[in-house]
């Protein structure tokens, strides 16, 4: 790795001078152009410089992955698992460094950044032994002297595109199981988090992933990302795995569909959090503040709509508002904060524009004051607000579920409050958006819990906990506008990166045809029970 000094930001660390990684070689983009990744908490800190890849670079990466596939798929799965174990060890060894660069590049708090490295470590730990458990089945045949088997086979060259808000955990959810299953990969990390992507690539290389098996191309969505999607039409890719916005995911789904590929699509959310009249309100407020404003609302699983039973609505609002006023915001590298900056300028722009939507809907702005500046900052702000991209927490009241503000993902520190009369109405409102990713309810009533679990249309649900959070061995994903029902993590993701192969072995020495030569039990004359039991 070549590092250069960063004169402007000595306190923040060096600038990472990264490359594409194609066929085991670090290379520049074919046009020699580069882009910068800056620190959203402190814009004078240049985190890294990376190649601005073209379609030609992407195609070269696909050729390398295609050439590496045969050898990698024939590498025994337990040996592939051994490399996954090495990845886990190297992530553990470099946990602090990786967490620091996550905080620096996308503004997560150090605690969250450590958690997201841990998520990648957990993923490696889970899958390292799956290499010894990539089971098929033996299946009984309907004919004699014949055996049936199933095998999991890798799918092939896999295109991976990821968002910047989970720059290590989400790529690990895709790359680690895809590798374990014997696929080769072309990955375009988010240009919001290219340094984290580059460093993860170094870990994969050091762990012993052979050349060509994982290829990394940096660049923008519009150019490198779009080029990777085009590779589906060009026939290079047999699988696609995408995490990002619903609009881009829909496009990838369309391209994959016409080529008969089944993509894994993990998209946006507008996640409901219900508070019923019997809930522990302090617990609910605590969970609601984190769900709504943790990571400045830039999690796919952030709460979007809070649905309040009318009997506790006023009390909840008062307690919630009091807690939101106390939220500590600022540069996470300078002090303890609940949330740091918007991770990129475009997210600050959509956040600023969302005010127009709320006003046009006729919702009431209960709290929030736009962008945080020197003159307009919350008490206790940490750092210089004008060196970064900071946003006030926003609460909209008197919201109805059919308003745009309740329907659209804002991807910022924004929450809406809606009131309902009973659990039936709460469920209707909770299911009243196009999304279906995460959800939560606060209640101690087992009937409410049951109804919620049974009727919620989301892929993930919490009872008395935040809408956010994932564990490496539990399925993660959504439906509707949140995804196409594929799942990341745990044993379930293995179905995304393998196809079933059915094999029959006939030892009979003759041509036996299923159904036709099957020796079904012949039809017999049936016992007439009425004659046996008839009275004399
Ligand atoms: P985005 O779709 O703009 O970008 C995501 C990735 O796709 C980036 O690498 C980007 O460069 C690339 N990309 C952008 N345009 C592309 C195109 N036309 N063709 C190919 N690639 C393209 O998403 P974003 O705005 O950066 O990220 C936030 C979104 O991601 C939110 O909607 C959030 O909910 C979602 N997200 C979902 C999950 C999940 O697991 N469901 C996790 C994290 C983020």
């Amino acid at each position: 790795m070549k590092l250069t000094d960063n004169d402007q930001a000595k306190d923040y660390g060096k600038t990472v001078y990264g490359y594409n990684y194609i066929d085991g070689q670090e290379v520049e983009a074919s046009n020699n152009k580069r882009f910068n990744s800056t620190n959203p908490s402190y814009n004078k800190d240049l985190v890294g410089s990376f190649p601005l890849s073209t379609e030609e670079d992407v195609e070269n990466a696909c050729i390398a992955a295609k050439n590496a596939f045969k050898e990698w798929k024939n590498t025994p799965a337990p040996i592939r698992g051994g490399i996954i174990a090495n990845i886990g060890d190297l992530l553990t060894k470099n946990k602090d460094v990786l967490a620091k660069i996550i905080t620096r590049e996308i503004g997560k708090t150090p605690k969250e950044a450590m958690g997201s490295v841990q998520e990648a470590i957990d993923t490696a730990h889970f899958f390292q032994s799956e290499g010894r458990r990539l089971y098929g089945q033996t299946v009984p045949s309907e004919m004699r002297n014949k055996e049936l088997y199933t095998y999991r086979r890798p799918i092939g060259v896999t295109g991976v595109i990821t968002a910047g808000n989970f720059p290590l955990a989400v790529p690990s959810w895709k790359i680690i199981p895809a590798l374990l299953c014997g696929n080769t990969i072309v990955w375009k990390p988010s240009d919001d988090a290219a340094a984290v992507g580059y460093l993860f690539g170094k870990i994969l290389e050091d762990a012993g992933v052979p050349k060509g098996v994982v290829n990394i191309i940096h660049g923008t969505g519009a150019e490198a990302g779009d080029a990777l999607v085009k590779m589906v039409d060009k026939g290079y890719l047999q699988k696609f795995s995408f995490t990002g916005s619903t609009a881009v995911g829909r496009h990838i789904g369309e391209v994959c569909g016409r080529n008969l590929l089944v993509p894994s699509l993990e998209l946006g959310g507008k996640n409901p959090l219900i508070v019923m009249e019997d809930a522990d309100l302090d617990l609910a407020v605590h969970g609601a503040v984190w769900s709504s404003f943790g990571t400045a609302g830039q999690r796919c699983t952030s709460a979007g709509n809070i649905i309040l039973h009318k009997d506790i609505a006023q009390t909840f609002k008062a307690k919630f508002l009091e807690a939101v006023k106390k939220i500590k915001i600022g540069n996470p590298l300078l002090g303890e904060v609940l949330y740091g900056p918007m991770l990129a300028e475009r997210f600050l722009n959509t956040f600023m524009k969302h005010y127009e939507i709320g006003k046009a809907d006729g919702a009431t702005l209960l709290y929030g004051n736009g962008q945080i500046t020197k003159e307009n900052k919350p008490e206790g702000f940490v750092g210089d607000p004008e060196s970064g991209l900071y946003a006030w927490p926003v609460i909209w009241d008197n919201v109805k579920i059919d308003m745009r503000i309740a329907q659209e993902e804002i991807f910022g520190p924004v929450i809406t409050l809606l009131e309902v009369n009973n659990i039936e109405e709460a469920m209707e409102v909770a299911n009243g958006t196009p999304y279906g990713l995460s959800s939560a309810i606060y209640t101690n009533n087992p009937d409410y819990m049951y109804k919620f679990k049974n009727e919620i249309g989301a892929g993930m649900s919490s009872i008395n906990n935040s809408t956010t959070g994932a564990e490496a061995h539990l399925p993660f994903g959504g439906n509707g506008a949140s995804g196409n029902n594929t799942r990341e993590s745990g044993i379930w993701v293995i179905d995304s990166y393998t196809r079933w192969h059915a094999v029959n072995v006939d030892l009979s020495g003759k041509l036996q045809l299923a159904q036709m030569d099957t020796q079904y039990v012949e039809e017999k004359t049936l016992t007439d029970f009425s004659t046996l039991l008839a009275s004399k």
Side-chain angles (χ1 to χ4, degrees), residues 288-302:
V289 168
W290 170 253
S291 300
S292 313
F293 302 116
T295 331
Q298 299 166 110
R299 289 177 167 237
C300 52
T301 52
S302 294

Side-chain angles (χ1 to χ4, degrees), residues 161-162 165 188 221 225 243-245 266-268 300 346-347 409 476:
I161 296 183
T162 47
N165 61 340
K188 193 203 85 64
T243 292
S245 63
E266 301 298 339
L267 313 176
C300 52
R346 67 183 187 289
F347 298 124
E409 182 189 44
F476 184 101

Side-chain angles (χ1 to χ4, degrees), residues 161-166 170 173 188-192 219-222 225-226 229 242-246 248 251-252 266-269 299-300 346-347 409 411 437 476 482 488:
I161 296 183
T162 47
N165 61 340
F166 281 90
V170 166
W173 288 357
K188 193 203 85 64
S190 169
D191 38 331
D192 298 329
T220 63
D226 187 56
V229 180
F242 173 76
T243 292
S245 63
T246 300
V248 176
H251 168 65
I252 292 173
E266 301 298 339
L267 313 176
R299 289 177 167 237
C300 52
R346 67 183 187 289
F347 298 124
E409 182 189 44
F411 207 65
L437 187 60
F476 184 101
S482 296
E488 311 263 44

Side-chain angles (χ1 to χ4, degrees), residues 185-412:
I185 292 164
V186 178
W187 173 35
K188 193 203 85 64
S190 169
D191 38 331
D192 298 329
V196 180
Y198 175 71
L199 295 178
F200 189 37
K202 299 302 293 179
I203 283 184
L204 297 174
E205 184 185 4
D206 290 352
V209 175
K211 74 184 180 86
V213 170
V214 176
N215 304 276
I216 303 174
I217 36 134
H218 294 280
T220 63
E223 192 165 7
D226 187 56
L228 187 53
V229 180
K230 282 189 182 136
M231 296 300 141
V232 177
D233 276 336
K234 286 195 168 183
Y236 283 111
L237 305 180
Q238 287 73 52
K239 171 75 190 172
F240 214 103
S241 186
F242 173 76
T243 292
S245 63
T246 300
V248 176
R250 204 180 289 280
H251 168 65
I252 292 173
E254 284 168 7
V255 175
C256 286
R258 68 174 175 245
N259 286 282
L260 307 182
L261 262 64
V262 181
S264 296
L265 302 173
E266 301 298 339
L267 313 176
K270 187 77 175 181
N271 306 297
L273 184 150
I274 302 171
V275 186
M276 293 305 291
E277 77 281 10
D278 66 304
D280 174 338
L281 284 193
D282 291 327
L283 183 68
V285 166
H286 199 184
V289 168
W290 170 253
S291 300
S292 313
F293 302 116
T295 331
Q298 299 166 110
R299 289 177 167 237
C300 52
T301 52
S302 294
N305 296 321
I306 297 182
I307 300 160
L308 302 168
H309 189 284
K310 65 173 180 5
D311 291 355
I312 49 84
Q314 294 315 316
T315 319
F316 177 92
K317 268 179 217 175
K319 282 174 179 273
F320 185 58
L321 186 59
E322 195 189 328
V324 173
K325 284 181 179 167
K326 288 188 190 140
I327 289 178
K328 269 272 193 101
I329 304 163
N331 184 336
L333 288 153
L334 299 181
E336 206 174 309
V337 295
L338 181 88
Y339 73 80
M342 303 305 291
L343 67 91
E345 202 161 348
R346 67 183 187 289
F347 298 124
L348 183 65
N349 294 341
T350 40
F351 166 82
M352 291 305 285
K353 280 191 204 135
H354 103 276
Y355 280 95
E356 294 309 316
I357 299 176
K359 274 185 216 150
D361 281 338
T364 310
L365 184 64
L366 191 64
Y367 191 71
N369 208 6
Q371 183 172 1
I372 296 175
T373 60
K374 274 199 178 94
E375 293 74 37
N376 172 32
K377 59 179 182 182
E379 217 183 295
F381 184 90
V382 178
D384 171 8
E386 284 168 21
S387 303
L389 309 165
Y390 297 100
W392 278 81
V394 177
I395 309 173
W396 291 96
D397 197 7
N398 297 320
V399 172
K400 301 280 174 247
I401 192 62
D402 55 0
M403 290 179 178
R404 264 185 77 191
I405 196 81
Q407 292 285 315
E408 294 177 13
E409 182 189 44
I410 313 288
F411 207 65

